[in-house]
Amino acid sequence: MKNILKVTAGSVLMIFSSLPANAQFSLTGELIPRTEYRHGYQAPLDSLVKGSVATGQRSRLNFGYKSDKFKAKVSFQDVRVWGSTATANTTDGFTSLHEGWGQYFFTPKFSLKAGRQELSYDDERLFGGLNWTFQGRSHDLFLFAFEDTSLKLNVHAGIGYNQAAMTNSAASYTLSNYKEMYYLWANKKFGNLSASLLAVITGVEIPNALNSSYLMNTIGTHIEYKKDALFGSLRFYSQSGETVMGGKRADVNAYMAGADLKYTIAKKFTVGAGMEMMSGQSQTDTTKAYKEVQHTFNALYGTGHKFNGYMDYYFAGSGHGNVGLQDIYLNLKYKADKYWVALDVHMFAATAEIFDPVKSAQTGTIESMDANLGNEIDFTFNYAFTKQCAVQCGYSTYLHTASVAYLKGVLDWEGKGYTGNQAGWGYVMLVLKPEFIK
């Protein structure tokens, strides 16, 4: 053991001694165990189903390097549920590469970044690191970046083309992922105003047509205004092009719009309100022209848990019939030196009509359900012992309606949405971020 330690220490010293004098090396970690109580999380529970309690954990080791013209990062992670492997387990299939990229600066303002990397833009509505989930999200791509602090202008262009394996001939891409992606993001700051433009082309492989894709276009803007205690934001995105729907080609015609307003009192108490609307697919419009078009907005690769309630009923969890979503919300937050506490209330509704099979059978005509999808209340508390150690806990409850239960496939004996079980979700989470070398 002493010989192993000597060899390891000697290797580390050799690595550091070989680095340029102006180079910076960092080695940090991240340990996040989270115990969750789930009773109606993501969907209502049937009367005969019990809730669950489990602990998941993410462990990351991040290596960073920075010199005058080059930066690099390698991040390994292990994601598991406590008890998913035996205590004497000899094999481990949970470890993966979360990030592995290098970035070369041709000039101080222009660079190329290549490899597996997180993408996080604006409020993370369409591109985010998905940090709440244990696995997170990262992309394999080339990223060209122009960043000028004097002009307060940032422009990023990304290109990604995916294959499932190295093959000698064309093969189908069967992963639940885009086959190809091209995007342009530009952000300009004007005093207290920040405006971004995002244009994304994503391609899904055409069934039975190798190396050919249906391309969907997403374009829109995100605008923020911040002055003293006031914060406001607007966002709008539209989608067009082609995609696969029900195994067939479909045109795309969808949109998303949102607005937020927050005001902080005495630098501690923040009151906020907002609204977000995403288009959906009507279940009652049976015309051929309508059914051959996808009207449901695709939120792409954002951090969904952050927006439409922490119980993840929409877009971050199980589906809800593609009927779109309207979310009106109220935010309250109090922040002290070492802790903060927050309360969020959401009022959900469908933006497209929901088919009612019970009423339709009774009347002999196509009938729709109430668009009201219920309310969610989220309570969160966070306490930071140090910058490297914090504890967070929360509890959420969802007040169901028959409409949301029906969309989630939880029915009573009459075929109506079952709302008899109370929905609750709670968690306790430790956030440990050691800095081994910084």
Side-chain angles (χ1 to χ4, degrees):
M1 178 61 73
K2 289 183 178 180
N3 291 333
I4 294 175
L5 291 175
K6 287 180 180 180
V7 172
T8 303
S11 300
V12 171
L13 289 173
M14 289 179 61
I15 291 173
F16 279 102
S17 63
S18 64
L19 293 176
N22 61 343
Q24 299 177 16
F25 181 81
S26 65
L27 176 60
T28 63
E30 189 178 84
L31 303 168
I32 301 181
R34 183 170 69 234
T35 299
E36 298 184 34
Y37 162 74
R38 297 184 175 188
H39 189 279
Y41 173 75
Q42 293 188 342
L45 278 187
D46 189 88
S47 59
L48 299 178
V49 179
K50 296 182 179 180
S52 67
V53 176
T55 300
Q57 180 171 326
R58 176 174 74 212
S59 305
R60 279 185 186 167
L61 195 59
N62 308 306
F63 300 87
Y65 175 82
K66 180 180 180 180
S67 62
D68 289 340
K69 304 200 70 173
F70 183 71
K71 291 172 66 176
K73 182 179 180 180
V74 178
S75 176
F76 294 101
Q77 71 178 15
D78 178 90
V79 175
R80 65 180 59 241
V81 174
W82 285 9
S84 59
T85 56
T87 56
N89 180 50
T90 57
T91 59
D92 186 8
F94 300 94
T95 302
S96 63
L97 179 72
H98 177 62
E99 287 191 276
W101 53 262
Q103 184 175 17
Y104 182 76
F105 290 82
F106 301 98
T107 71
K109 299 176 182 179
F110 180 69
S111 65
L112 170 61
K113 185 178 179 181
R116 191 162 185 84
Q117 54 194 283
E118 289 187 353
L119 295 179
S120 179
Y121 292 115
D122 301 317
D123 60 354
E124 295 194 328
R125 193 64 188 98
L126 297 187
F127 279 107
L130 202 62
N131 191 56
W132 171 259
T133 65
F134 291 115
Q135 71 274 12
R137 177 182 280 130
S138 49
H139 305 254
D140 302 310
L141 49 79
F142 293 100
L143 171 59
F144 298 90
F146 174 82
E147 299 179 343
D148 191 322
T149 55
S150 61
L151 295 176
K152 297 182 179 179
L153 174 66
N154 295 324
V155 180
H156 288 188
I159 301 173
Y161 186 82
N162 295 324
Q163 297 281 28
M166 297 291 287
T167 59
N168 294 329
S169 59
S172 296
Y173 187 68
T174 57
L175 276 69
S176 179
N177 193 17
Y178 55 83
K179 174 66 181 261
E180 54 190 300
M181 181 176 72
Y182 316 93
Y183 77 89
L184 176 69
W185 173 80
N187 174 265
K188 172 69 175 176
K189 290 181 171 58
F190 307 89
N192 298 316
L193 189 70
S194 173
S196 295
L197 173 69
L198 177 65
V200 188
I201 298 175
T202 48
V204 293
E205 190 169 81
I206 299 174
N208 303 317
L210 302 179
N211 293 334
S212 297
S213 302
Y214 289 134
L215 300 178
M216 181 178 73
N217 312 305
T218 303
I219 186 168
T221 184
H222 176 89
I223 301 172
E224 291 184 358
Y225 177 83
K226 182 175 177 59
K227 183 176 181 181
D228 300 326
L230 180 65
F231 172 85
S233 70
L234 296 171
R235 55 189 177 275
F236 177 81
Y237 300 96
S238 65
Q239 289 180 330
S240 60
E242 303 174 295
T243 191
V244 176
M245 185 172 65
K248 299 180 181 179
R249 177 199 170 279
D251 290 323
V252 179
N253 183 13
Y255 69 90
M256 188 267 276
D260 300 276
L261 187 64
K262 295 181 180 180
Y263 188 81
T264 301
I265 303 169
K267 298 183 179 180
K268 289 189 175 183
F269 186 68
T270 301
V271 180
M275 187 273 287
E276 184 175 82
M277 180 178 290
M278 283 177 273
S279 61
Q281 197 82 8
S282 172
Q283 296 182 346
T284 61
D285 191 333
T286 59
T287 60
K288 185 174 184 293
Y290 182 88
K291 291 173 65 177
E292 290 180 349
V293 177
Q294 176 176 291
H295 298 88
T296 303
F297 184 81
N298 184 335
L300 297 182
Y301 317 107
T303 304
H305 181 83
K306 177 181 176 182
F307 293 92
N308 304 128
Y310 294 158
M311 293 183 72
D312 294 335
Y313 269 55
Y314 308 103
F315 307 109
S318 59
H320 65 290
N322 296 321
V323 294
L325 185 69
Q326 176 183 287
D327 181 7
I328 299 174
Y329 44 89
L330 173 68
N331 313 118
L332 302 173
K333 185 174 183 178
Y334 179 83
K335 185 176 182 181
D337 292 335
K338 288 201 170 189
Y339 73 90
W340 57 261
V341 60
L343 179 68
D344 302 287
V345 180
H346 296 263
M347 293 166 282
F348 299 115
T351 55
E353 291 193 337
I354 307 168
F355 175 68
D356 190 328
V358 176
K359 284 186 180 179
S360 299
Q362 293 171 347
T363 63
T365 60
I366 297 177
E367 301 285 347
S368 59
M369 287 186 180
D370 187 352
N372 181 12
L373 299 181
N375 304 320
E376 181 175 328
I377 303 171
D378 303 318
F379 173 81
T380 312
F381 174 80
N382 188 93
Y383 185 87
F385 299 99
T386 66
K387 291 183 179 180
Q388 299 175 338
C389 179
V391 61
Q392 186 178 121
C393 60
Y395 184 80
S396 301
T397 186
Y398 198 112
L399 307 177
H400 294 134
T401 64
S403 297
V404 71
Y406 170 77
L407 290 173
K408 296 289 186 176
V410 182
L411 310 178
D412 62 15
W413 63 276
E414 293 181 304
K416 300 178 181 179
Y418 176 74
T419 59
N421 261 343
Q422 180 183 2
W425 169 73
Y427 71 95
V428 178
M429 176 173 69
L430 287 176
V431 180
L432 309 173
K433 296 184 176 182
E435 298 179 352
F436 306 110
I437 302 172
K438 188 74 171 177

